[in-house]
Amino acid sequence: MATPTPPLRQRNALIPGVIAATVLIAGIPLIGTEFAITICFIVAILALIIAWLAAQARQWWWTVVMVAIAVLWNPVFPFAFTGAPWLVAHIVASALCVVAGVLISVPREGTGAARG
């Protein structure tokens, strides 16, 4: 029986992407409340982490998307978004975080995949 080979790529942004998506969906009922700022902090920080991981993976398009999410959910100068568009933005950003987490990958160290 052959032993399974480990994946040749690793997805470092997957966990931050899933956490950000969870926070975005869980934060929908908090839109317009005083606790919405907490959601903004968490989402902005995780989006910047994902952006950094995308830059390290040389997947610049995801860096741009994640920086845009970090700007829209920034807690320092928050936008006064409310209503249905902001609800849709939460859902779209949630999906983008998960997709970015799945697609951002780098070669696994020590597998030879980095050599070509």
Side-chain angles (χ1 to χ4, degrees):
M1 187 179 238
T3 57
T5 60
L8 299 177
R9 302 193 63 80
Q10 60 189 32
R11 289 170 176 78
N12 297 331
L14 183 59
I15 296 300
V18 170
I19 294 172
T22 304
V23 169
L24 281 161
I25 296 300
I28 289 175
L30 301 176
I31 294 174
T33 68
E34 64 187 44
F35 298 109
I37 194 78
T38 305
I39 301 302
C40 289
F41 268 105
I42 296 169
V43 171
I45 290 168
L46 288 171
L48 290 174
I49 289 171
I50 298 168
W52 176 254
L53 293 170
Q56 286 182 329
R58 300 209 187 327
Q59 296 182 3
W60 307 108
W61 51 95
W62 285 116
T63 303
V64 172
V65 171
M66 290 298 123
V67 167
I69 289 174
V71 168
L72 287 174
W73 273 267
N74 82 80
V76 179
F77 299 108
F79 294 102
F81 296 134
T82 57
W86 194 231
L87 176 109
V88 171
H90 272 253
I91 295 168
V92 170
S94 174
L96 287 172
C97 287
V98 171
V99 170
V102 169
L103 295 179
I104 297 170
S105 65
V106 294
R108 184 177 289 272
E109 295 288 326
T111 61
R115 287 183 250 150

